[in-house]
Amino acid sequence: MNYVEHFKSKIDELKQEHRYRIFANLARTAGSFPRATYCDPDSGLMRQVDVWCSNDYLGMGQNDLVLRAIESALRECGAGAGGTRNISGTNKYHVELEKELASLHEKESALLFTSGYVANQAALSTLPRLIPDCVILSDGHNHASMIEGIRHSGCEKIIFRHNDLDHLERSLQAIPFARPKIIAFESVYSMDGDVSPVSAICDLAQSYGAITYLDEVHAVGMYGRRGAGVAERDGCMNRVTLIEGTLGKAYGVMGGYVAGSAPLIDALRSFAPSFIFTTAIPPYLAAGAIVSIKHLMKSSTERELQHQRAAELKDSLRVACLPVMPSTSHIVPVLVGDAVRCRRASDMLLETHQIYIQPINYPTVERGKERLRITPTPCHTKSDIDRLVAALLDVWRALELEFNNAIWTGAAAAAQ
Ligand SMILES: Cc1ncc(COP(=O)(O)O)c(C=O)c1O
């Protein structure tokens, strides 16, 4: 076999389907977020751009308290953890961070992983395997890391229609009551920005003898009185069996975790290969995460401003008749509906308007649902929003993209 030609043809397939990913070379500068320096791959020229698609949702990646904690722990402990958690890699910062995470979610215990992806993959492949005859009910829009974990568990999987309580209940009814079941779902779905009915899913779990696994990756830090997520906001955190989260988004650092009862977490610690056989996160990251979590437990300023900015942006897009999708969270998706023009819209924003928004194409979203996924932060200003909406209008006209005609005849049309 000609291996090189084989892989080239695989890449060509991706390119033909407009699924080939191009990474923008963006230098983040602490203190300037959401501004970043973009390096043009052809000319090598650098220019400042506004980033509108970062998952550093609250700008905690440049928070001074977090940076100081990281600097100090880096000097104190050095660069790496020095081993797996089992072989000399456990440091006081890991231990303290796990206590902090357990306390955040009001659970007995928590376990750290190198990322949210690994946490999902590890938990959802390991726990079901430890439960004889287990069946997993998985929301149809669950993240790739959850799907991967469930697949590796080897357990029977039933996919219920996204956020569809009736379908979930019918699926539960079809399984004998005594058979062990796990309902795996997310709180905030990151591509549509919709939110699941956590409490109602817990009701169903209780009625049908299931346990619940909730991914709060796009909610921790941003929802609930102390930033513990949607389950905290909805007053049902104690009813969720396992809560999974990330330290890499609203907390601005890196790493993932699962929080739950002590025996469940101990089982994961003991049986999950992707926890045991990998180097622990560096102590300085754990130190930064502790400070970030503690800060957001006390301060609501960042999340309140973030929600305000998201509401302002959604309003401005609607007034401009741009097709903002019906999100109920801080995530603001704008529908393009075509892979080529989605890429082109992103390129035009960058080249002409110094605005960076990653195009979201298949397989991350269905074909025909390609979009720009915008994530306003407390660091974006009102005038940043005005500039963004003007730039989007320009791009929409240039590419002859569809406006939201339902309100197109209104005030915004007159302003054209
Ligand atoms: C729902 C969901 N879960 C888990 C992850 C993985 O988290 P991390 O980026 O910490 O690996 C992501 C990543 O975006 C996600 O969207």
Side-chain angles (χ1 to χ4, degrees):
M1 182 184 212
N2 185 332
Y3 294 100
V4 172
E5 284 309 316
H6 173 74
F7 289 116
K8 273 191 190 158
S9 75
K10 286 281 158 205
I11 294 295
D12 284 345
E13 274 171 33
L14 279 184
K15 286 184 177 166
Q16 270 161 22
E17 292 171 18
H18 309 288
R19 296 203 285 130
Y20 184 67
R21 293 174 207 260
I22 299 162
F23 300 157
N25 180 351
L26 289 165
R28 274 157 58 91
T29 311
S32 304
F33 181 71
R35 257 47 77 187
T37 307
Y38 171 71
C39 178
D40 189 294
D42 301 322
S43 64
L45 290 176
M46 316 275 248
R47 59 201 154 92
Q48 187 180 277
V49 297
D50 290 358
V51 178
W52 274 102
C53 58
S54 174
N55 281 343
D56 185 359
Y57 288 128
L58 299 178
M60 292 304 284
Q62 64 176 8
N63 179 284
D64 211 39
L65 296 169
V66 174
L67 298 191
R68 273 193 270 141
I70 288 177
E71 271 163 10
S72 149
L74 174 66
R75 288 283 147 210
E76 183 194 352
C77 305
T84 66
R85 290 292 297 276
N86 190 37
I87 306 180
S88 87
T90 296
N91 178 283
K92 66 176 177 181
Y93 291 114
H94 298 119
V95 176
E96 193 187 333
L97 176 53
E98 284 173 341
K99 280 202 186 121
E100 199 59 48
L101 289 165
S103 137
L104 173 70
H105 293 292
E106 296 173 351
K107 301 287 179 202
E108 287 171 353
S109 208
L111 194 67
L112 263 176
F113 294 84
T114 42
S115 72
Y117 189 103
V118 175
N120 272 335
Q121 196 274 340
L124 287 169
S125 61
T126 304
L127 288 178
R129 247 189 290 129
L130 298 174
I131 307 173
D133 199 28
C134 183
V135 51
I136 305 177
L137 296 105
S138 174
D139 184 285
H141 283 193
N142 275 346
H143 187 253
S145 54
M146 301 172 79
I147 295 169
E148 191 71 5
I150 294 169
R151 190 175 291 147
H152 275 96
S153 75
C155 288
E156 186 187 341
K157 169 173 84 169
I158 295 170
I159 298 172
F160 61 93
R161 279 196 293 275
H162 175 55
N163 275 348
D164 186 334
L165 290 172
D166 287 340
H167 192 220
L168 174 59
E169 180 155 27
R170 274 185 276 119
S171 307
L172 285 162
Q173 278 165 349
I175 308 166
F177 184 85
R179 188 168 176 198
K181 308 163 200 74
I182 301 174
I183 304 175
F185 63 114
E186 300 179 24
S187 56
V188 174
Y189 286 86
S190 74
M191 290 302 144
D192 289 338
D194 56 339
V195 178
S196 64
V198 181
S199 202
I201 292 180
C202 290
D203 289 343
L204 287 178
Q206 198 174 333
S207 306
Y208 293 91
I211 61 171
T212 45
Y213 182 95
L214 175 62
D215 176 317
E216 290 253 38
V217 158
H218 294 279
V220 287
M222 294 169 284
Y223 295 82
R225 190 174 55 79
R226 301 167 314 130
V230 171
E232 181 187 47
R233 183 198 70 181
D234 294 354
C236 58
M237 201 156 59
N238 62 338
R239 302 183 66 209
V240 179
T241 316
L242 282 166
I243 296 180
E244 185 268 347
T246 185
L247 305 168
K249 301 193 194 291
Y251 292 123
V253 195
M254 192 186 173
Y257 64 90
V258 177
S261 71
L264 272 175
I265 297 299
D266 205 16
L268 263 183
R269 190 184 70 86
S270 309
F271 291 102
S274 41
F275 172 77
I276 300 166
F277 300 111
T278 191
T279 302
I281 63 166
Y284 63 82
L285 286 185
I290 294 166
V291 169
S292 188
I293 294 166
K294 281 193 163 140
H295 175 77
L296 291 175
M297 273 169 100
K298 280 191 257 116
S299 168
S300 292
T301 315
E302 293 80 3
R303 51 183 162 266
E304 277 167 14
L305 193 50
Q306 179 208 31
H307 292 304
Q308 188 185 319
R309 289 289 178 255
E312 286 165 356
L313 175 61
K314 284 177 195 171
D315 281 350
S316 302
L317 291 169
R318 275 188 208 111
V319 168
C321 298
L322 286 158
V324 57
M325 296 170 74
S327 147
T328 51
S329 70
H330 60 282
I331 291 161
V332 185
V334 181
L335 187 68
V336 176
D338 174 81
V340 178
R341 289 193 296 169
C342 196
R343 171 89 252 164
R344 194 67 206 107
S346 168
D347 290 346
M348 267 190 79
L349 284 170
L350 189 59
E351 285 155 17
T352 318
H353 298 280
Q354 283 73 50
I355 284 173
Y356 180 66
I357 307 175
Q358 168 70 34
I360 307 285
N361 283 353
Y362 177 84
T364 309
V365 294
E366 282 168 53
R367 288 186 215 273
K369 294 281 169 69
E370 293 84 359
R371 67 197 65 176
L372 298 175
R373 171 187 178 270
I374 308 175
T375 51
T377 72
C379 308
H380 291 97
T381 63
K382 190 74 183 69
S383 68
D384 289 336
I385 292 181
D386 294 342
R387 219 171 70 69
L388 170 65
V389 174
L392 285 169
L393 275 172
D394 183 51
V395 168
W396 246 248
R397 285 190 210 107
L399 297 180
E400 298 182 348
L401 293 172
E402 256 181 59
F403 283 86
N404 186 352
N405 289 318
I407 44 175
W408 182 231
T409 49
Q416 292 304 302

